């Protein structure tokens, strides 16, 4: 991903969403539309989420140092997790508000609501398309994209509601559409939050440990593999460390070549792009791949 292009997209989307928010606040006040005001509040929260993602994106570009030997890539994961939680809260709030509107309908000036909602919809679609390209390979950008998508869907709901209110005074359609949008956003937000949480918890990124076992033991010098840890550090960085039992007569240069060959095969077949191996002769020879951490003295 070209980080400079991503930076420009963040700046563009942030400015555009500030304009959308101001326009919808003014439109909501003038028209008396609660739906438009709630959409403006939604957009305001998204401006904060975009800024958070943007700052995390800038932090992630910093080089490794003595305090952050892995670098700053996980700043984007933290931002994605935070944005995911915010999206979940917004979805629940929108759902509750929509339920309440069935019993508390508001008088709305449909004309102003329709014009402002169309402007908001066009701007939200532009924002969404601007972030779409980078959303495929970056969890942080994807969380921002989902924010933009939720805004676009919310704007669609407001536009449809404004049309029916303006022409036929069908006020009940607005909360129905809001409920549908909130359910969709809740689903997407949950997926983002869980993916980010799995990265932060250093969970196994769907790497088949049986395949790891088969690949490592395919080298005749290796007799056993144990104390295996596989985790995703960032969107494009999967790490693994393990202990392997080898013949005691192997020299240092032979071990180095063995490490390189195992690492290349794990990368080409499973996508693990950072492998650290510790060679042992007898210790752990009978241990399994996953060893409980309690009561062990693991190096």
């Amino acid at each position: 991903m070209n980080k400079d292009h991503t930076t420009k997209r963040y700046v563009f989307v942030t400015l555009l969403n500030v304009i959308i928010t101001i326009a919808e606040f003014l439109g909501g006040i003038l028209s008396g539309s609660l739906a438009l005001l709630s959409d403006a509040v939604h957009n305001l929260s998204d401006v904060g989420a975009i800024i958070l993602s943007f700052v995390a994106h800038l932090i992630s570009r910093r080089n490794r140092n003595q305090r952050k030997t892995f670098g700053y890539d996980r700043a984007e994961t933290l931002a994605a997790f935070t944005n995911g939680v915010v999206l979940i809260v917004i979805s629940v709030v929108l759902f509750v508000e929509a339920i309440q509107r069935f019993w508390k309908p508001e008088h709305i000036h449909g004309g102003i609501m329709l014009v402002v909602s169309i402007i908001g919809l066009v701007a939200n679609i532009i924002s969404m398309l601007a972030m779409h390209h980078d959303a495929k390979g970056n969890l942080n950008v994807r969380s921002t994209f989902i924010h933009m998508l939720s805004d676009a869907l919310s704007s669609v709901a407001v536009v449809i509601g404004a049309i029916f209110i303006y022409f036929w005074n069908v006020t009940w359609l607005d909360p129905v559409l809001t409920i549908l949008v909130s359910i969709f956003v809740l689903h997407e937000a949950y997926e983002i939050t869980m993916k980010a949480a799995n990265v932060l918890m250093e969970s196994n990124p769907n790497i088949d440990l049986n395949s790891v076992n088969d690949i490592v033991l395919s080298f005749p010098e290796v007799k056993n593999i144990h104390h295996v840890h596989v985790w995703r550090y960032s969107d494009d960085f999967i790490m693994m460390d393990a202990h392997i039992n080898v013949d005691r007569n192997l020299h240092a240069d032979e071990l180095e070549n063995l490490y390189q060959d195992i690492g290349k095969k794990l990368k080409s077949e499973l996508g693990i792009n950072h492998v650290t191996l510790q060679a042992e002769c007898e210790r752990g020879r009978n241990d399994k791949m996953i060893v409980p951490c309690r009561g062990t003295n693991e190096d």
Side-chain angles (χ1 to χ4, degrees):
M1 183 196 309
N2 189 316
K3 297 237 174 184
D4 289 332
H5 288 168
T6 303
T7 300
K8 293 177 181 177
R9 292 188 181 100
Y10 267 121
V11 173
F12 171 74
V13 169
T14 301
L15 293 175
L16 187 58
N17 274 265
V18 169
I19 295 172
I20 297 171
T21 302
I22 294 173
E24 289 194 332
F25 266 121
L26 293 176
I29 293 171
L30 293 174
S31 67
S33 170
L34 185 61
L36 208 53
L37 284 173
S38 66
D39 198 44
V41 173
H42 187 185
N43 276 315
L44 181 62
S45 68
D46 285 348
V47 170
I50 295 167
I51 293 174
L52 175 63
S53 295
F54 181 41
V55 171
H57 167 72
L58 294 178
I59 292 174
S60 71
R61 300 175 65 185
R62 298 177 62 181
N63 294 324
R64 300 175 185 177
N65 54 48
Q66 292 184 0
R67 296 190 63 185
K68 298 290 187 297
T69 56
F70 276 109
Y72 291 82
D73 285 344
R74 278 200 176 174
E76 292 199 289
T77 306
L78 285 168
F81 179 81
T82 303
N83 280 336
V85 172
V86 170
L87 276 168
I88 291 174
V89 173
I90 290 173
S91 301
V92 174
V93 170
L94 286 174
F95 187 90
V96 173
E97 285 185 355
I99 296 297
Q100 291 176 343
R101 285 177 197 165
F102 283 112
W103 288 273
K104 296 179 180 180
E106 297 285 337
H107 176 70
I108 299 170
H109 296 284
I112 298 176
M113 179 183 176
L114 181 59
V115 172
V116 176
S117 61
I118 290 175
I119 294 173
L121 174 60
V122 172
N124 280 320
I125 290 176
I126 293 173
S127 298
M128 183 182 68
L129 294 176
M131 303 305 297
H132 178 262
H133 179 266
D134 293 341
K136 298 177 182 178
N138 185 293
L139 193 60
N140 183 39
V141 179
R142 177 164 176 76
S143 71
T144 305
F145 170 75
I146 294 301
H147 272 283
M148 298 300 95
L149 177 60
S150 70
D151 282 345
L153 289 173
S154 180
S155 294
V156 169
V158 175
V159 169
I160 294 175
I163 292 172
F164 278 82
I165 288 170
Y166 181 72
F167 290 103
W168 299 286
N169 198 31
V170 184
T171 57
W172 58 264
L173 186 60
D174 178 62
V176 170
L177 293 172
T178 303
I179 288 173
L180 295 177
V181 171
S182 64
I183 291 174
F184 172 80
V185 175
L186 181 63
H187 175 265
E188 294 294 320
Y190 174 79
E191 288 192 350
I192 288 175
T193 305
M194 291 307 299
K195 286 180 181 178
N198 283 332
V199 173
L200 295 174
M201 289 293 293
E202 299 187 344
S203 303
N204 180 353
N206 297 322
I207 298 294
D208 184 7
L209 292 185
N210 290 325
S211 297
V212 171
N213 185 73
D214 294 340
I215 289 172
V216 175
L217 294 183
S218 68
F219 294 85
E221 300 92 338
V222 181
K223 308 304 178 185
N224 185 43
I225 176 173
H226 57 100
H227 282 100
V228 175
H229 302 283
V230 182
W231 71 100
R232 181 183 294 278
Y233 176 73
S234 61
D235 288 311
D236 52 1
F237 200 28
I238 298 177
M239 305 182 70
M240 169 185 153
D241 65 46
H243 295 207
I244 56 174
N245 296 105
V246 299
D247 295 330
R248 62 177 60 252
N249 58 351
L250 284 179
H251 298 293
D253 58 339
E254 293 175 312
L255 276 176
E256 183 177 349
N257 291 331
L258 178 63
Y259 291 160
Q260 292 179 357
D261 292 340
I262 293 175
K264 289 178 182 177
K265 196 167 184 179
L266 288 171
K267 182 177 181 179
S268 63
E269 296 192 17
L270 299 179
I272 303 174
N273 44 16
H274 190 281
V275 179
T276 301
L277 299 173
Q278 176 176 320
E280 299 171 338
C281 294
E282 296 300 328
R283 187 177 65 165
R285 179 179 285 270
N286 297 319
D287 287 344
K288 297 180 180 180
M289 295 186 70
I290 304 299
V291 178
C293 60
R294 294 180 180 176
T296 64
N297 185 21
E298 182 182 347
D299 296 333

